[in-house]
Amino acid sequence: MQDKDKSNQEDIEAINKVLSGDKNAFAFIQKKYMGLVLSSIRKMVKVEEDVQDLAQETFIKAYNALHTYQSSYHFAAWLYRIASNNCIDFFRRKKVMHVSLNQSFGDGEEEEMEIEDTSYVPDLNMMRNEGKAALERATKSLPPKYMEIMYLRHQKDMDYNQIAEKMKIPLGTVKAHLFRARKLMYEALKSEKHLFYP
């Protein structure tokens, strides 16, 4: 228990340094907890490149929310919660619902199902359009090299190796550019949080 308390005190000191303007102190936190975050995400997500992306996003979100951390809680638990929520958001984005228009009842006959049209909800459509516009604005605010790499990863669904080959840059540069691009995107979107809904 003493070791846990000592470790958490160490984290609190690093967090206070970050909040006082020493951004390099966050590198200590990231190095200390990268293994824990990766292993917790791997329990939920199977594709390694998605794991790496989600780990990066977790630390970006933690950095941006650091001012909300309460020292009465263990930092590791707080960070784990961010990683878990990040995975839930990831599955929400990936989820594709398949609805059969003909429901089979096992006797060889099929009965047509009437499905309520919920596509027209004026306020919801407006919010989605505003959210999409905000994402586009944030993407367009990126430097060209970051804009391209985000497009290849998230629109073309290319893996890191494919991006490195396409852009003729090292694999490590792909990862670094994606990390910086996401950080810039989060910064740009922070002022427009009211547009995004679960």
Side-chain angles (χ1 to χ4, degrees):
M1 185 62 108
Q2 233 176 359
D3 286 345
K4 265 192 175 181
D5 290 340
K6 186 181 175 186
S7 175
N8 203 53
Q9 189 55 45
E10 191 178 59
D11 295 339
I12 291 165
E13 286 170 14
I15 289 162
N16 288 335
K17 283 181 186 176
V18 177
L19 294 175
S20 299
D22 181 4
K23 293 181 180 179
N24 292 328
F26 194 73
F28 162 79
I29 293 170
Q30 194 168 350
K31 187 176 179 183
K32 180 176 177 180
Y33 287 108
M34 181 58 84
L36 174 77
V37 168
L38 285 170
S39 64
S40 65
I41 293 171
R42 282 191 188 111
K43 288 174 185 171
M44 296 175 265
V45 178
K46 300 305 172 196
V47 178
E48 184 59 26
E49 284 177 353
D50 289 333
V51 171
Q52 296 291 332
D53 286 351
L54 288 165
Q56 283 186 358
E57 286 176 14
T58 295
F59 282 106
I60 291 167
K61 286 179 179 178
Y63 179 83
N64 287 331
L66 214 51
H67 63 283
T68 68
Y69 168 69
Q70 294 177 6
S71 57
S72 54
Y73 297 99
H74 279 285
F75 180 74
W78 183 79
L79 190 61
Y80 177 81
R81 191 169 186 177
I82 293 175
S84 298
N85 288 340
N86 207 23
C87 289
I88 291 165
D89 289 343
F90 169 77
F91 287 121
R92 223 179 251 157
R93 292 193 302 264
K94 289 275 183 185
K95 190 176 181 184
V96 179
M97 291 184 71
H98 298 285
V99 180
S100 172
L101 295 179
N102 292 310
Q103 177 70 49
S104 173
F105 291 94
D107 56 2
E109 291 183 20
E110 291 188 340
E111 185 174 314
E112 289 187 7
M113 286 170 46
E114 283 190 19
I115 298 173
E116 181 188 355
D117 181 10
T118 58
S119 62
Y120 185 67
V121 183
D123 288 348
L124 186 59
N125 285 339
M126 184 181 77
M127 288 187 292
R128 282 177 181 155
N129 289 336
E130 285 179 1
K132 190 177 175 187
L135 279 170
E136 284 175 5
R137 284 195 295 276
T139 304
K140 285 176 182 173
S141 72
L142 294 173
K145 63 182 177 183
Y146 294 162
M147 203 187 302
E148 183 183 1
I149 211 162
M150 288 290 280
Y151 173 77
L152 294 174
R153 177 71 181 133
H154 297 288
Q155 299 296 319
K156 291 293 186 182
D157 207 25
M158 287 187 176
D159 64 34
Y160 292 180
N161 288 316
Q162 289 170 323
I163 294 170
E165 195 176 322
K166 170 114 178 129
M167 294 184 72
K168 295 180 171 55
I169 56 175
L171 190 60
T173 305
V174 170
K175 293 177 182 179
H177 281 6
L178 276 168
F179 179 80
R180 290 187 194 116
R182 288 193 187 104
K183 193 167 183 178
L184 289 170
M185 288 275 290
Y186 279 116
E187 288 295 328
L189 290 169
K190 270 202 310 195
S191 62
E192 306 198 64
K193 273 184 182 172
H194 62 287
L195 297 176
F196 298 93
Y197 297 84

